[in-house]
Amino acid sequence: MADRSEEEQLDVVKRWWKENGTSLIAGAALAAAGVFGWNAWQNYQQGQSEAASVRYQQLINVAMANELDEQQTASARELISELTDDYGKTLYAELALLMDARLAVQQGDIDAAKVSLEQVADNSSRRYVQSLAWLRLARIEVANGNPEAALALLDEPISEALAAQQANVRGDAYAALGQTDQARSAWQNALELAESLDQTLYGVQFKLDDLGAEEATQ
């Protein structure tokens, strides 16, 4: 009777394994594949970042010359296109767009510069990089005689690390509007913020001095 009971138990196990064993093996395989897939994805991401870093350093080496000749400009543009097309999800692609805007300004193509900066401002998930784009767009608007548009951009949630630069550009916008009191206040705030953040902010004191000199002659 005991032997029969053992045989029955074995049959139960066999039936259970027949019904469920395949799914268990498949589940284990999927779990293993998931771990492997995640590790492979992490390795891929790391590889992408490293490759993008190399390309970006190449871009810096080319683009940081004081004046680029046609060949250097073409090389820089090619590297920027490669970074934005092949490594679009990385930080380096966004930095490449900022560099693209810089090159466009140097070449006098303000519209192209704005397109690159707006792409970063609209799409970046990195607050600091996004803030850089807003600040540079604001500077362009001031230079183009659109201080009101600059002030609107400066109302964006710009990173606290760039607060001094934000106040500086705000002062430029107010000065362009002829609002000297607001300009002075913004520039003074910029100097105070720079000191509190242990940053160096060039040119602001000269602008304040010039503002005082202009008032003295009136």
Side-chain angles (χ1 to χ4, degrees), residues 18 23 77 119 134 168 195:
K18 184 177 181 180
S23 60
R77 295 290 185 193
Q119 190 172 341
W134 279 324
N168 182 22
E195 183 177 0

Side-chain angles (χ1 to χ4, degrees), residues 1-13 15:
M1 190 74 176
D3 291 340
R4 187 173 180 181
S5 177
E6 290 176 3
E7 290 177 1
E8 290 175 349
Q9 291 176 5
L10 183 59
D11 288 338
V12 170
V13 171
R15 284 197 303 271

Side-chain angles (χ1 to χ4, degrees), residues 125-140:
S125 60
R126 300 170 178 89
R127 176 83 170 278
Y128 186 86
V129 177
Q130 189 179 45
S131 298
L132 284 174
W134 279 324
L135 283 174
R136 294 179 187 183
L137 281 167
R139 285 194 176 99
I140 287 175

Side-chain angles (χ1 to χ4, degrees), residues 158-200:
I158 290 174
S159 170
E160 291 183 6
L162 295 169
Q165 290 87 339
Q166 179 184 19
N168 182 22
V169 182
R170 182 173 279 120
D172 294 343
Y174 282 132
L177 288 168
Q179 300 177 11
T180 55
D181 289 341
Q182 291 91 328
R184 180 185 297 104
S185 177
W187 285 332
Q188 288 173 340
N189 186 37
L191 290 177
E192 292 169 1
L193 287 167
E195 183 177 0
S196 68
L197 294 168
D198 196 22
Q199 297 174 351
T200 301

Side-chain angles (χ1 to χ4, degrees), residues 7 30 76 80 92-93 111-112 134 139:
E7 290 177 1
L30 287 172
I80 289 168
Y92 300 104
D111 289 338
W134 279 324
R139 285 194 176 99

Side-chain angles (χ1 to χ4, degrees), residues 28-121:
L30 287 172
V35 172
F36 175 79
W38 173 251
N39 290 336
W41 173 249
Q42 291 289 86
N43 291 336
Y44 170 77
Q45 290 289 83
Q46 182 178 353
Q48 287 286 92
S49 181
E50 290 174 356
S53 174
V54 171
R55 293 292 184 272
Y56 183 71
Q57 186 58 54
Q58 292 173 346
L59 173 61
I60 292 295
N61 294 339
V62 172
M64 292 310 291
N66 289 331
E67 292 186 10
L68 274 65
D69 57 29
E70 289 186 8
Q71 183 177 355
Q72 289 172 319
T73 300
S75 297
R77 295 290 185 193
E78 184 176 345
L79 287 165
I80 289 168
S81 294
E82 183 177 352
L83 281 162
T84 54
D85 293 344
D86 298 344
Y87 308 101
K89 299 298 183 180
T90 67
L91 168 64
Y92 300 104
E94 295 176 358
L95 296 178
L97 285 170
L98 294 180
M99 181 64 73
D100 188 49
R102 176 178 175 272
L103 294 177
V105 169
Q106 288 178 344
Q107 295 170 350
D109 193 346
I110 300 303
D111 289 338
K114 289 177 66 174
V115 168
S116 294
L117 291 173
E118 287 168 353
Q119 190 172 341
V120 177

